[in-house]
Amino acid sequence: FYYFIRLCLEKILLQCILQSRTLSGADAINALRPFYFAVHPDFFGQHPKEREVNENSLKRLNGYLENLQKPGFRSFKPTQLTFYVREREPNSSNVPESFSASGFRAVSFTLHTRDLLSTVLDILNSCSLSTEHIQSLNVNSQPHKETKSTVNRPIKWDKTYYSFTGFKDPEEELEQVQRVGTTLISWLDDNEASAVKKLKKSLPLRKELERLKFELSHQLQLSDIRWQRSWGIAHRCSQLHSLGRLVEQRPEVLKHVKGRTVVFTDRSGMSAAGHIMLGTMDVHHHWTKIFERLPNYYKLQKRLLLLEDRISQLLGGIQVTYIEELQPLVTLEEYYETLDSFYNKLRDSRLPFHPRSLRGLQMILESDRYAPRLHEFGHFTIPTICDPATLQWFIFAKAQEARENLKRKEKMVITEKELIDTSTEKFSLDRLYKDPSVSSAQMIDCCKRLLEESLPYLQGMHLCISHFYSVLQDGDLCIPWNWK
């Protein structure tokens, strides 16, 4: 009852504010700070699809907010937006920055308001974010005379934040992108010395990282140790030291890890690909629980594989798969629920696929799409909500093209590897790799053009092909795939 009364009073108070005051552009930015923190694309680096959705929605939202501040602007069209909002930690409703690493949720809403304050309130309420802080803002009775509002990057973090978390510094990326006239040669001239200095400083830590990785992999008989994001070398060593201490303290809990891959990521559990996920913000107690649950995870994984086989049988033998490089990182439980729901829909629809007619083809399931599509690599991307009849027609219509794309993919992967090896050897690179967001076609184009150049600067360096110019904290050189 008291909670209900409080909600009513808050609603009345906010309505009074809405009727009597207006918000300046600067106040709107400040008021939306919890929202930006929850949806900013920089926090979705390992989820390219969600990042793209948030980037596009932010652009549209920024345009809407800017129009609200133009004098005399009266022509408004309702604007529907979709954002992926990072989930909060439990019991942290009063702390805007307290978000969990457990995942995110999709939120859709339509803006149709004609003033900043009501728009800000609509956004926060739609995303289930607190509006209490708005009452303490310096809200004026007359709007500021502003024609533009800088709402693209309202949060400025200290440089140490990016070093610790492994996120890319958006200001640094923006500066690099804005250098339209930058050429590869001129950029290497300006940044070679800095990269060499950082690389030399990181060499002892790189050796320590390789030693720790080898010893733990051998001791636990692991298939591999990976990282979800490009954390710095020091951070990775710290994570391996932490795992090593757990091995010394509780060796008995790691008896079921043989042959598995361990991935240091933002959440603990088992991934849809069957890898053991260790959340970097979790303590040993949480890791221990994951290792103790492994036998149950393995049982669930067997059930998941059986479910994939049943779906395959219903769809003419097409292989249901999970592609780590192209799909968001989800837990085994989440992926099983997705498959189970999709299987039940297919089973009830009784689609007339001829047995084994689609053998050799592949498909992945995605929950954030509304229409099926065929990927350039030959696999079908099928929305979980796809109508069975639409699914059947689309697969039949695109089956031959899918087989051709799969053959093209095989050739492209071989070509890409050959070009990487040739480039590494020609420039005496210590390592040549690409950002996950760079496609094979882009990497091939980049390497072909690199091989036409003479670049003595690259000897002994670590070169990453990305979308921007940057020198990473450990001396890796990042260049855009379409460099000039």
Side-chain angles (χ1 to χ4, degrees):
F1 174 76
Y2 290 107
Y3 178 71
F4 174 76
I5 294 295
R6 180 189 170 194
L7 286 178
C8 291
L9 290 174
E10 286 182 354
K11 185 174 181 180
I12 292 172
L13 177 61
L14 290 174
Q15 286 177 341
C16 292
I17 294 175
L18 183 61
Q19 293 170 358
S20 61
R21 298 179 180 180
T22 57
L23 216 61
S24 71
D27 287 334
I29 295 172
N30 194 27
L32 287 173
R33 183 172 180 270
F35 166 75
Y36 285 117
F37 193 87
V39 304
H40 204 287
D42 290 335
F43 296 105
F44 290 80
Q46 291 298 316
H47 304 283
K49 290 178 290 297
E50 289 76 9
R51 179 188 178 107
E52 182 181 359
V53 169
N54 283 11
E55 284 178 344
N56 293 334
S57 294
L58 277 176
K59 289 177 185 177
R60 297 177 62 201
L61 173 60
N62 293 342
Y64 190 94
L65 295 176
E66 287 180 4
N67 286 334
L68 286 177
Q69 298 169 77
K70 291 179 180 178
F73 191 86
R74 292 292 180 269
S75 178
F76 285 91
K77 292 182 179 180
T79 301
Q80 185 171 3
L81 301 173
T82 297
F83 286 98
Y84 285 94
V85 182
R86 295 190 298 135
E87 292 285 14
R88 288 180 174 278
E89 291 281 12
N91 305 319
S92 61
S93 58
N94 295 323
V95 186
E97 291 83 358
S98 183
F99 288 84
S100 75
S102 60
F104 41 79
R105 55 191 167 87
V107 175
S108 296
F109 54 89
T110 301
L111 295 179
H112 48 75
T113 47
R114 294 174 176 266
D115 64 274
L116 280 174
L117 181 56
S118 56
T119 301
V120 167
L121 292 173
D122 276 358
I123 294 170
L124 294 174
N125 287 324
S126 297
C127 296
S128 302
L129 297 172
S130 173
T131 57
E132 294 180 3
H133 61 289
I134 295 181
Q135 301 171 26
S136 61
L137 291 176
N138 183 22
V139 183
N140 300 318
S141 57
Q142 296 295 327
H144 289 221
K145 294 182 179 180
E146 299 180 71
T147 57
K148 288 187 178 182
S149 174
T150 309
V151 293
N152 286 327
R153 297 194 181 280
I155 305 170
K156 186 174 182 179
W157 298 98
D158 189 86
K159 298 295 182 183
T160 55
Y161 166 79
Y162 299 101
S163 298
F164 178 77
T165 61
F167 287 117
K168 293 182 176 71
D169 185 343
E171 287 189 357
E172 184 176 327
E173 289 187 35
L174 195 58
E175 289 174 5
Q176 300 293 350
V177 170
Q178 289 174 343
R179 297 181 186 177
V180 180
T182 300
T183 65
L184 178 61
I185 301 297
S186 65
W187 186 82
L188 289 174
D189 278 336
D190 294 338
N191 292 276
E192 179 200 9
S194 170
V196 169
K197 183 178 179 180
K198 290 181 177 180
L199 180 61
K200 286 183 177 178
K201 186 178 179 181
S202 73
L203 288 179
L205 275 177
R206 290 180 186 273
K207 291 181 180 178
E208 174 70 359
L209 180 66
E210 289 302 313
R211 183 188 67 81
L212 290 170
K213 184 177 176 180
F214 174 79
E215 289 181 355
L216 281 171
S217 297
H218 180 72
Q219 184 178 1
L220 299 175
Q221 300 184 58
L222 296 173
S223 174
D224 194 10
I225 297 177
R226 302 179 191 169
W227 285 265
Q228 179 193 1
R229 291 205 309 267
S230 55
W231 281 294
I233 304 297
H235 196 189
R236 295 188 182 200
C237 285
S238 175
Q239 292 159 0
L240 291 183
H241 278 299
S242 186
L243 178 58
R245 286 193 296 271
L246 179 60
V247 174
E248 292 177 359
Q249 297 166 5
R250 299 289 305 278
E252 74 281 358
V253 302
L254 291 110
K255 59 185 177 180
H256 298 294
V257 302
K258 181 179 178 181
R260 291 285 167 167
T261 292
V262 168
V263 181
F264 289 97
T265 180
D266 295 324
R267 55 199 300 200
S268 293
M270 178 166 279
S271 72
H275 302 327
I276 301 167
M277 302 189 302
L278 300 182
T280 57
M281 301 302 291
D282 291 340
V283 295
H284 281 183
H285 175 68
H286 296 102
W287 288 5
T288 300
K289 282 188 173 181
I290 297 302
F291 289 125
E292 290 175 341
R293 292 175 188 162
L294 286 181
N296 290 331
Y297 279 128
Y298 297 157
K299 291 177 182 177
L300 179 60
Q301 189 178 26
K302 289 181 179 179
R303 291 169 54 195
L304 184 146
L305 294 174
L306 180 60
L307 200 51
E308 287 182 338
D309 286 341
R310 289 176 176 172
I311 294 174
S312 176
Q313 292 170 10
L314 292 175
L315 294 179
I318 190 170
Q319 180 187 359
V320 184
T321 186
Y322 173 85
I323 304 177
E324 288 182 272
E325 296 80 8
L326 300 176
Q327 292 181 260
L329 187 68
V330 296
T331 64
L332 197 66
E333 299 95 326
E334 292 167 342
Y335 189 50
Y336 182 86
E337 290 179 5
T338 299
L339 287 174
D340 188 52
S341 174
F342 187 72
Y343 169 70
N344 290 330
K345 182 188 294 186
L346 285 179
R347 183 187 57 188
D348 295 339
S349 65
R350 300 180 183 277
L351 293 177
F353 280 97
H354 189 279
R356 297 183 295 281
S357 60
L358 298 176
R359 289 186 66 179
L361 297 181
Q362 297 176 345
M363 62 169 278
I364 64 174
L365 286 173
E366 290 192 354
S367 58
D368 61 341
R369 290 192 176 273
Y370 297 93
R373 72 184 183 97
L374 177 62
H375 193 273
E376 60 177 345
F377 278 176
H379 62 265
F380 290 95
T381 299
I382 305 299
T384 54
I385 61 171
C386 187
D387 174 67
T390 301
L391 169 64
Q392 180 188 12
W393 175 86
F394 185 81
I395 292 179
F396 280 152
K398 297 287 186 177
Q400 184 56 37
E401 184 181 350
R403 296 187 190 279
E404 294 171 357
N405 286 3
L406 283 171
K407 291 179 181 178
R408 192 180 305 117
K409 172 193 173 183
E410 293 175 1
K411 295 179 180 178
M412 190 176 292
V413 169
I414 294 172
T415 302
E416 180 183 18
K417 185 180 185 307
E418 290 175 348
L419 286 170
I420 289 175
D421 292 342
T422 304
S423 301
T424 302
E425 182 179 353
K426 175 179 178 178
F427 300 115
S428 300
L429 287 163
D430 194 70
R431 185 188 178 203
L432 173 60
Y433 62 104
K434 68 176 183 178
D435 188 270
S437 60
V438 174
S439 69
S440 293
Q442 291 170 337
M443 187 66 171
I444 289 172
D445 175 73
C446 177
C447 289
K448 283 182 177 179
R449 294 191 300 116
L450 279 176
L451 288 169
E452 297 175 357
E453 303 292 326
S454 176
L455 301 169
Y457 318 83
L458 300 179
Q459 184 173 352
M461 301 302 294
H462 292 244
L463 181 63
C464 174
I465 308 303
S466 182
H467 297 276
F468 55 88
Y469 286 106
S470 178
V471 178
L472 302 185
Q473 65 188 80
D474 293 304
D476 293 46
L477 290 167
C478 281
I479 66 170
W481 69 271
N482 56 347
W483 53 270
K484 298 179 182 178

